[in-house]
Amino acid sequence: MEVRAKKALGQHFLTDQSIAMAIVDALRNDPALPRDVLEIGPGMGVLTQYLIKREDIDPRMIEIDTESVEYLLTHFNGMPGKLMEGDYLKLDMSCVFKDKYRVIGNFPYNISSQIFFKILDDKDKVPEVVCMIQKEVADRIAEKPGSKTYGILSVLLQAWYDIEYILAVGPGAFCPPPKVKSAVIRLTRNSRTSLGCDEKLFKTVVKTAFNQRRKTLRNALKPMIKEGMDTTDPVFDLRAERLSVDDFVALTKKFQD
Ligand code: SAH
């Protein structure tokens, strides 16, 4: 019996084996990288089958769907101990891996942003991420300043990760086919160890600036601007979408003094 695809769980099962292999191959074989790998949402195991064959990694999986969990347990050996049933977004990662780990998965598209925010919370333990997401989201994440689609996730992810486009995938590679195009990307942790400004404040500045992205920063950030603060710097005449990661760092520093 196959797993019945549930829309609410973002289930679109990849059926193209050569694409599945290419995704698993995008996870680098490098002894400097951690052996521990977490697969988010294995479904019927199209990636899992190749992950468990690799000798350079120790994969574990987290799957929310009971039917998929049962499928994996009956179709693959060695699943008990590797496969967790539950919600990745609620998972306490420090209980799963003590040290560094990598992340792979054909992410459920409806929660891909939340997954990235959770990865960012653990960024110093996650040197590499390979994932399939909606192509539109992949484009946005990789976008450079100045574009209309450059946004919160572009800045926050680019601050800590290099982003590479691996391949584009059409709807026909899935069952059932999604309405959108997909893309596989790889995130590699860059060498940045600190931003040079308060990290929490940086996040707040980025989020507040983009929440009213059509306004100039002077107006969008008004709720954060304290009385007497100098806002004559021309950066305040710009919109959020013009600012690079370093520009946002410099801007955050102005709010720290
Ligand atoms: N990897 C499979 C399935 C991709 S569909 C394939 O490529 O064919 C996305 C998968 O994520 C589904 O199996 C779905 O049940 C699972 N999923 C959805 N939300 C989840 C969550 N919060 N935590 C863990 N898994 C989740």
Side-chain angles (χ1 to χ4, degrees), residues 2 12-21 44 46-47 49-50 106 132 169-177:
E2 305 258 297
H12 294 279
F13 299 110
L14 179 67
T15 50
D16 187 316
Q17 295 298 321
S18 60
I19 295 175
M21 272 186 249
M44 286 191 280
V46 70
L47 301 182
Q49 62 179 328
Y50 299 113
N106 291 343
M132 177 131 67
V169 182
F174 302 85
C175 182

Side-chain angles (χ1 to χ4, degrees), residues 139-150 154 158 241:
D139 291 343
R140 209 181 320 140
I141 285 174
E143 200 58 85
K144 294 286 164 233
S147 145
K148 281 199 167 57
T149 53
Y150 179 72
S154 333
Q158 288 174 29
E241 66 200 36

Side-chain angles (χ1 to χ4, degrees), residues 46-155:
V46 70
L47 301 182
T48 318
Q49 62 179 328
Y50 299 113
L51 285 169
I52 56 180
K53 283 200 192 109
R54 275 181 61 163
E55 287 179 357
D56 61 317
I57 57 171
D58 292 322
R60 299 195 62 182
M61 306 96 207
I62 173 96
E63 172 57 64
I64 201 168
D65 175 37
T66 309
E67 205 184 336
S68 295
V69 168
E70 280 167 8
Y71 181 95
L72 292 163
L73 289 171
T74 51
H75 287 78
F76 294 95
N77 290 326
M79 280 295 123
K82 281 197 174 70
L83 175 63
M84 297 168 274
E85 179 171 351
D87 182 348
Y88 162 71
L89 295 176
K90 295 194 181 131
L91 197 61
D92 180 350
M93 288 311 300
S94 63
C95 293
V96 184
F97 300 118
K98 291 272 164 292
D99 295 314
K100 293 186 180 186
Y101 61 96
R102 298 186 264 170
V103 173
I104 191 166
N106 291 343
F107 290 173
Y109 296 173
N110 49 337
I111 57 162
S112 59
S113 297
Q114 292 167 72
I115 294 175
F116 287 124
F117 284 118
K118 181 161 170 133
I119 290 172
L120 279 168
D121 285 340
D122 220 12
K123 61 185 184 306
D124 290 330
K125 282 179 70 186
V126 184
E128 189 181 66
V129 179
V130 172
C131 58
M132 177 131 67
I133 51 178
Q134 196 176 326
K135 184 174 177 297
E136 221 181 277
V137 178
D139 291 343
R140 209 181 320 140
I141 285 174
E143 200 58 85
K144 294 286 164 233
S147 145
K148 281 199 167 57
T149 53
Y150 179 72
I152 297 172
L153 265 184
S154 333
V155 178

